[in-house]
Amino acid sequence: LIKSLPLLSCKTSLSFGKGLGVRSFNYFKTHHIMKFFFSCDWGTSTFRLRLVDAENIKVLSEIKTRHGIAIAFESWKQTNQQEKTRLAFYQTYLFEQVKKITVPFNDAVKDAPIILSGMASSSIGMIELPYKEIPFPCKGSGLVIYIIPADEDHRHKMIMISGARTDVDVIRGEETMLAGCKISEDDSEQLFIFPGTHSKHIIVKNGLVKNITTYMTGELFDLLSNKSILSASVKKDDPEPTGSNRFFIDGVLKGRASILSNSIFHVRTNHLFKKTTPGENYDYLSGLLIGHELKDVSANKPPSITLVCSEGLKKSYTQALNVLELASQVNYENADEALINGQWIITQQLGYL
């Protein structure tokens, strides 16, 4: 399953500019040997591609689209082609995006490998790879890696990192972000929380992943606020996540202590009885679902909690953990930075870069 190829490097003399709607970062010109790689996070609903200077893990250019794996898979199915065509179909889209973000860099990055994490290795992805079973080292040395060599049509080698599983749960992508986080290798238990559509809680001890638990917090919020009887009672007023008002706090406390299916219905009755506005219900429902997700965390009180997420989700989850009197244990890692660091660490230590 695992293939290995010689290490790649290239001389660089970079030029910079904007092209095709891609965001380019200001960067100093260099004239020495330097490695680059493309960091690809192909999720269910979102595609992200970044060109990274591996010498100092600096993002040089990036692109983000809504062409997630779910859309890619449906598009491929509509072609009615045989299974053997699936990889090439996905590669067409991937390399179109690579071309877009490399326009300002000429040939300096022509041989840079592409490291893929997330749903690209799932049953609806480019190639389905098996999950790594727990326990395994947090830095990813035991993960399943698959190499797609460069060829005449696709000059960038592709390195795919697969996910991990327990008997009842799975992750794809979070195992890579975890490898990019600061992790203690002593015998103290650490909890890493990855908020999102499907929030993942990963327990680490002695440098090993010991357990994985998924909470469908984000998806439940979307379904309840947009597609249920509650939709008329919930409206986002503030363009930024709130997480600091009394309605959010009330939701967190009730989510921890009450029966969720009953508390959810109070979103509707509070609006019917004019106790809350739809905007206040938005905060209440958010707090309710996050509080319920953190119910076991509140009961177990792990000595170390690390949030790995965006700044927006950090705001809500930090506030919720503060309400649950766990703020002193909380650390933070930016999810984008953790992903890129993790991709570099995993592939470098295994000799693929």
Side-chain angles (χ1 to χ4, degrees), residues 236 238-242 312 315:
K236 185 175 182 179
D238 194 324
E240 295 295 327
T242 52
K315 186 175 181 180

Side-chain angles (χ1 to χ4, degrees), residues 1-2 129-132 140 142-146 160-163:
L1 180 62
I2 299 177
L129 300 180
Y131 294 98
K132 174 65 179 178
L143 294 172
V144 177
I145 308 292
Y146 187 78
M160 300 182 68
I161 303 172
S162 188

Side-chain angles (χ1 to χ4, degrees), residues 55-224:
E55 186 172 81
N56 52 28
I57 313 300
K58 182 180 181 66
V59 176
L60 306 180
S61 186
E62 69 175 346
I63 190 168
K64 178 180 178 180
T65 76
R66 302 299 298 175
H67 195 86
I69 285 292
I71 290 176
F73 182 66
E74 286 301 315
S75 298
W76 172 73
K77 284 203 305 182
Q78 290 174 12
T79 67
N80 294 316
Q81 297 179 12
Q82 296 181 352
E83 175 65 28
K84 64 182 181 181
T85 68
R86 192 204 296 196
L87 174 60
F89 183 85
Y90 281 67
Q91 283 179 306
T92 298
Y93 182 80
L94 174 61
F95 283 100
E96 285 175 354
Q97 309 316 306
V98 168
K99 184 177 180 180
K100 290 178 183 179
I101 69 171
T102 55
V103 167
F105 301 93
N106 299 320
D107 290 332
V109 296
K110 65 180 181 180
D111 295 324
I114 304 170
I115 308 174
L116 295 103
S117 301
M119 294 297 287
S121 62
S122 70
S123 60
I124 62 173
M126 304 175 75
I127 294 176
E128 184 177 9
L129 300 180
Y131 294 98
K132 174 65 179 178
E133 295 188 8
I134 65 165
F136 61 89
C138 296
K139 291 304 180 182
S141 58
L143 294 172
V144 177
I145 308 292
Y146 187 78
I147 305 296
I148 302 173
D151 57 32
E152 292 182 0
D153 296 323
H154 307 106
R155 63 185 184 179
H156 300 279
K157 177 176 69 172
M158 298 169 60
I159 305 170
M160 300 182 68
I161 303 172
S162 188
R165 56 163 291 180
T166 67
D167 288 340
V168 296
D169 226 314
V170 297
I171 52 174
R172 281 200 190 273
E174 290 83 7
E175 75 294 321
T176 306
M177 286 188 278
L178 180 66
C181 293
K182 300 179 184 69
I183 301 172
S184 172
E185 296 193 3
D186 58 28
D187 61 359
S188 62
E189 188 174 283
Q190 297 173 268
L191 172 64
F192 288 81
I193 298 177
F194 299 79
T197 303
H198 297 159
S199 291
K200 307 289 183 176
H201 291 202
I202 301 177
I203 294 177
V204 171
K205 189 174 183 179
N206 295 320
L208 298 174
V209 172
K210 294 293 188 178
N211 194 36
I212 300 164
T213 308
T214 298
Y215 298 85
M216 296 177 63
T217 305
E219 185 166 359
L220 278 175
F221 184 87
D222 180 62
L223 291 171
L224 291 170

Side-chain angles (χ1 to χ4, degrees), residues 247-260:
F247 300 98
F248 178 85
I249 292 170
D250 185 41
V252 170
L253 293 172
K254 288 182 178 175
R256 176 184 64 173
S258 62
I259 299 173
L260 184 64

Side-chain angles (χ1 to χ4, degrees), residues 325-337:
E325 300 181 347
L326 294 169
S328 62
Q329 292 102 296
V330 178
N331 303 297
Y332 172 69
E333 297 266 4
N334 178 275
D336 291 337
E337 293 176 4

